């Protein structure tokens, strides 16, 4: 919201908000504790040879994560252009609407902390929620309907992101989680890069960004339907527990 307000003074003005890092850096240096090295027992023996990484186990999930990132970043990246198509040109209004959608993402993440059970089984429902939001945004011809669709979608993406990450970690043994989270993060940010390219391509074909968002909504519903029988049929093995620390 502050960025939108600053935008009235020029398009460069909101970037000054990043200067807050200069204020946070000395506070972090003083307040954050330094990690203490953990001493392993004398009987611990190094593992001979490199560990084989379970690439096949992660491949499908990383592909799904790329798609999930496209879904996640559509509203933050494209909302201002959708608003512009509705003749909403005020940077303050654009900032307020985008902030509201971001708050919905936070709400979804808070709800995630209250959920129990296998996150894999929730993925079809979460993608259904995201896809429904896209469809509402795609047919929106006024501001309230566009906001409603964005909020619906962002509640879903707030649940989707931690669900994908938790699912990725559940597929990995403790010793593989460092490389695993790196691979998952690379897949997620690849989706961020692809997101505007996908929507711009859809806009060129369909003639409007709203139609491209609606098409993405249909694709999200298709992925949800494809996942539904898969999550019922498969079971994810539990990861090995972390080694005990002395």
């Amino acid at each position: 919201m502050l960025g939108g307000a600053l935008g009235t003074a020029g398009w460069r003005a909101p970037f000054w908000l990043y200067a807050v890092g200069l204020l946070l850096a000395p506070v972090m240096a003083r307040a954050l504790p330094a990690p203490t090295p953990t001493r392993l027992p004398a009987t611990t023996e190094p593992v001979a040879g490199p560990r084989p990484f379970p690439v096949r186990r992660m491949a499908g999930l990383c592909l799904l994560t790329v798609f999930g990132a496209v879904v996640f970043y559509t509203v933050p990246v494209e909302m201002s252009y959708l608003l512009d198509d509705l003749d909403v040109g005020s940077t303050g209004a654009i900032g307020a609407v985008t902030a509201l959608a971001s708050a919905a993402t936070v709400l979804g993440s808070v709800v995630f902390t209250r959920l129990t059970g296998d996150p894999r089984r929730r993925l079809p429902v979460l993608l259904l929620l995201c896809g429904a939001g896209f469809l509402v945004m795609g047919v929106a011809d006024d501001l309230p309907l566009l906001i409603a669709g964005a909020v619906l979608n962002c509640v879903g993406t707030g649940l989707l992101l931690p669900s994908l990450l938790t699912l990725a970690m559940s597929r990995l043994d403790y010793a593989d989680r460092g490389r695993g989270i790196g691979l998952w993060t690379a897949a997620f940010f690849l989706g961020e890069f692809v997101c505007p390219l996908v929507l711009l391509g859809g806009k060129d074909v369909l003639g409007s960004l709203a139609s491209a968002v609606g098409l993405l909504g249909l694709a999200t519903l298709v992925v949800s339907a494809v996942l539904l029988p898969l999550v019922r049929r498969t079971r994810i093995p539990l990861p090995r527990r972390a080694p005990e620390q002395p």
Side-chain angles (χ1 to χ4, degrees), residues 87-159:
D87 296 324
V88 179
S90 167
T91 58
I94 292 172
V97 172
T98 306
L100 180 61
S102 299
T105 302
V106 174
L107 175 62
S109 299
V110 172
V111 172
F112 173 83
T113 65
R114 306 291 187 225
L115 299 178
T116 58
D118 189 351
R120 171 181 55 103
R121 297 190 178 277
R122 293 195 293 267
L123 287 180
V125 177
L126 301 183
L127 289 171
L128 178 64
L129 186 62
C130 296
F134 282 146
L135 291 178
V136 173
M137 294 171 64
V139 300
D141 56 0
D142 56 31
L143 183 58
L145 191 58
L146 180 63
I147 293 175
V151 168
L152 180 63
N153 172 270
C154 287
V155 170
T157 58
L159 287 158

Side-chain angles (χ1 to χ4, degrees), residues 31-244:
L32 294 180
T36 303
T38 301
R39 294 184 178 182
L40 297 176
T43 56
T44 301
E45 297 181 0
V47 178
R51 281 181 58 89
F53 185 77
V55 176
R56 292 182 60 185
R57 192 186 303 172
M58 289 291 294
L61 182 57
C62 284
L63 183 62
L64 179 61
T65 297
V66 172
F67 179 79
V70 173
V71 172
F72 183 90
Y73 279 106
T74 293
V75 171
V77 171
E78 304 295 341
M79 191 63 175
S80 60
Y81 300 105
L82 291 168
L83 290 169
D84 187 63
D85 289 341
L86 292 179
D87 296 324
V88 179
S90 167
T91 58
I94 292 172
V97 172
T98 306
L100 180 61
S102 299
T105 302
V106 174
L107 175 62
S109 299
V110 172
V111 172
F112 173 83
T113 65
R114 306 291 187 225
L115 299 178
T116 58
D118 189 351
R120 171 181 55 103
R121 297 190 178 277
R122 293 195 293 267
L123 287 180
V125 177
L126 301 183
L127 289 171
L128 178 64
L129 186 62
C130 296
F134 282 146
L135 291 178
V136 173
M137 294 171 64
V139 300
D141 56 0
D142 56 31
L143 183 58
L145 191 58
L146 180 63
I147 293 175
V151 168
L152 180 63
N153 172 270
C154 287
V155 170
T157 58
L159 287 158
L160 180 64
L161 174 57
S163 294
L164 287 171
L165 179 56
T166 303
L167 181 58
M169 293 300 95
S170 72
R171 286 173 171 254
L172 297 168
D173 292 334
Y174 181 80
D176 295 322
R177 289 185 177 179
R179 284 178 291 176
I181 191 61
L183 183 62
W184 183 89
T185 303
F188 186 76
F189 285 107
L190 176 61
E192 179 190 18
F193 174 79
V194 169
C195 175
L197 303 180
V198 169
L199 291 168
L200 287 174
K203 178 181 177 181
D204 289 341
V205 173
L206 300 175
S208 71
L209 182 59
S211 298
V213 171
L215 181 60
L216 179 58
L218 290 176
T220 306
L221 296 183
V222 170
V223 174
S224 172
V226 170
L227 287 179
L228 186 58
L230 295 178
V231 299
R232 288 179 175 177
R233 191 168 63 235
T234 59
R235 186 179 72 86
I236 296 177
L238 293 175
R240 297 177 186 175
R241 295 182 61 185
E244 297 291 338

